[in-house]
Amino acid sequence: MKQSQAESRRQNVAKRSMTKEAKQLAGLIASLRKSLDSIHKERTSTKLSGAEMGLLDERRNNLLLTIAALDDRLSAVQGLIDLGRPHIIRVH
């Protein structure tokens, strides 16, 4: 009985932790997308040199890669929560 309660408690803690992580990831992704929009606006609204365009393109590409990685992480976390198999994911 005690072992079952302890396991249930661990599951609840893990679910809360993963839910919190999912909310944080969603917020971070949203803010990165806003940054991406501002880069796009800056790129189209002003006259820029080739070097400045290159820097903006590089920033845009880095943001796109970061957003894709965070989207993958968010999808994995949400999938585990939906499956009812939450656990605390440790990143090394």
Side-chain angles (χ1 to χ4, degrees):
M1 181 80 165
K2 287 183 183 182
Q3 195 172 25
S4 175
Q5 288 175 340
E7 181 60 29
S8 177
R9 194 174 312 120
R10 276 192 290 275
Q11 287 287 327
N12 288 336
V13 168
K15 186 174 183 177
R16 279 194 308 271
S17 174
M18 290 183 80
T19 301
K20 180 180 176 184
E21 180 180 0
K23 287 178 184 177
Q24 289 172 334
L25 286 169
L28 182 57
I29 290 167
S31 68
L32 290 175
R33 286 194 172 129
K34 286 180 185 177
S35 294
L36 201 57
D37 288 342
S38 70
I39 287 173
H40 178 70
K41 287 177 186 174
E42 184 178 348
R43 196 174 187 281
T44 57
S45 68
T46 60
K47 291 186 178 184
L48 300 170
S49 70
E52 291 169 327
M53 286 277 235
L55 286 173
L56 286 176
D57 288 345
E58 189 173 338
R59 282 181 57 204
R60 185 192 66 216
N61 290 340
N62 288 338
L63 277 172
L64 288 171
L65 290 171
T66 302
I67 290 169
L70 291 172
D71 271 335
D72 287 347
R73 174 72 177 201
L74 179 58
S75 178
V77 168
Q78 288 173 331
L80 288 170
I81 291 170
D82 291 345
L83 288 173
R85 301 187 61 195
H87 64 282
I88 297 174
I89 302 172
R90 291 188 172 86
V91 179
H92 299 282

